[in-house]
Amino acid sequence: SDLQEREERGELLQPLVFVALALGSVLLYLKVSLMDPGFVESEEEEKADKSEEQTMVIPQAPSTIQMRRCGYCMVKQPMRAKHCQLCQHCVRRYDHHCPWLENCVGERNHPLFIVYLSVQLVVLLWGGHVAWSGLYFEQSWDWLQHNIFLILSFLLIVIVTVAVLLLLISQLYLISCNTTMWEFMSHHRISYLRQSELENPFDQGVVLNLWRFFC
């Protein structure tokens, strides 16, 4: 049959891979948006379950810096944590609150957020290629009426692709420097960075920064 011939030629593999990637991006979106980004627990819970960041010594950081108590939720903030007024929680290794996810990006979901952006970018580029391949330009009003939806879809894909690409590039750059978006944007207002002799006391080289983040 025609379906079997297409399968033998491998023509069905591409749409199946595209559907799998699109479904994967949706599942990743749900996972990242619904999971705990690294909320700071109460002092009683912290004693029972200390995170690696609390126990890890950072030799470049000033020893005079003390953990401060959050003025909103009254928990002791570990270094690199910040209170998110939208989530009403302090988040460990706070990067930013993502309105796209309606959740914070922090210590626990940051690596998965990068994976989600990467998969989403592949889907968008693939979808943009498909939309572009379906456009055959003609200088006529009738052609425009029949292709207006495809043109608008392609333009929307281009806009979202540029936004995702810029976000992914900026995130990878910050990760390679072992800094967060919050620390990068508010360096002058953060006590442990303002009092440090180094501009970034957490930077241990690109390779080690990437290894510790993803592995």
Side-chain angles (χ1 to χ4, degrees):
S1 64
D2 183 58
L3 188 62
Q4 288 179 333
E5 290 178 0
R6 290 187 177 184
E7 186 178 359
E8 290 173 359
R9 293 197 300 266
E11 293 179 4
L12 296 180
L13 182 61
Q14 287 191 358
L16 288 175
V17 172
F18 179 81
V19 170
L21 285 172
L23 181 61
S25 70
V26 173
L27 294 176
L28 283 168
Y29 171 84
L30 293 174
K31 177 67 175 177
V32 177
S33 62
L34 296 176
M35 72 183 296
D36 176 2
F39 295 133
V40 178
E41 301 168 345
S42 64
E43 293 177 50
E44 292 77 12
E45 292 172 319
E46 282 179 17
K47 291 177 182 178
D49 182 24
K50 288 188 176 182
S51 71
E52 180 183 352
E53 186 180 20
Q54 282 180 281
T55 57
M56 184 176 64
V57 177
I58 304 170
Q60 299 96 328
S63 58
T64 56
I65 295 176
Q66 302 293 326
M67 289 176 62
R68 72 183 187 90
R69 189 174 292 277
C70 176
Y72 295 96
C73 53
M74 302 307 295
V75 299
K76 282 189 176 181
Q77 285 185 340
M79 194 177 291
R80 312 191 80 178
K82 181 184 181 296
H83 183 87
C84 176
Q85 296 191 26
L86 295 174
C87 292
Q88 294 298 310
H89 282 285
C90 287
V91 180
R92 299 182 187 278
R93 202 181 182 279
Y94 175 87
D95 189 82
H96 69 286
H97 182 92
C98 181
W100 195 349
L101 300 171
E102 294 187 1
N103 193 15
C104 282
V105 176
E107 182 181 71
R108 292 187 180 178
N109 66 349
H110 201 168
L112 206 58
F113 176 68
I114 300 300
V115 175
Y116 163 68
L117 287 180
S118 302
V119 174
Q120 188 67 49
L121 182 61
V122 173
V123 172
L124 287 167
L125 290 172
W126 197 335
H129 172 72
V130 172
W132 177 260
S133 64
L135 288 173
Y136 300 94
F137 294 96
E138 295 179 10
Q139 294 183 350
S140 66
W141 177 250
D142 185 61
W143 176 88
L144 183 62
Q145 283 183 317
H146 285 85
N147 291 273
I148 186 66
F149 180 75
L150 188 58
I151 294 172
L152 292 176
S153 299
F154 176 73
L155 292 176
L156 180 61
I157 290 174
V158 169
I159 293 171
V160 178
T161 300
V162 171
V164 172
L165 179 62
L166 292 176
L167 180 58
L168 181 60
I169 291 174
S170 64
Q171 283 286 305
L172 290 175
Y173 169 74
L174 293 174
I175 291 167
S176 68
C177 300
N178 197 2
T179 189
T180 64
M181 188 176 293
W182 171 58
E183 291 171 339
F184 180 78
M185 301 294 291
S186 307
H187 187 279
H188 60 288
R189 295 193 291 113
I190 301 173
S191 59
Y192 60 81
L193 295 179
R194 199 173 59 244
Q195 298 176 29
S196 174
E197 296 178 358
L198 302 176
E199 184 176 354
N200 181 10
F202 304 103
D203 188 6
Q204 296 180 316
V206 175
V207 175
L208 190 55
N209 290 339
L210 292 173
W211 175 264
R212 291 199 167 188
F213 181 85
F214 288 106
C215 303

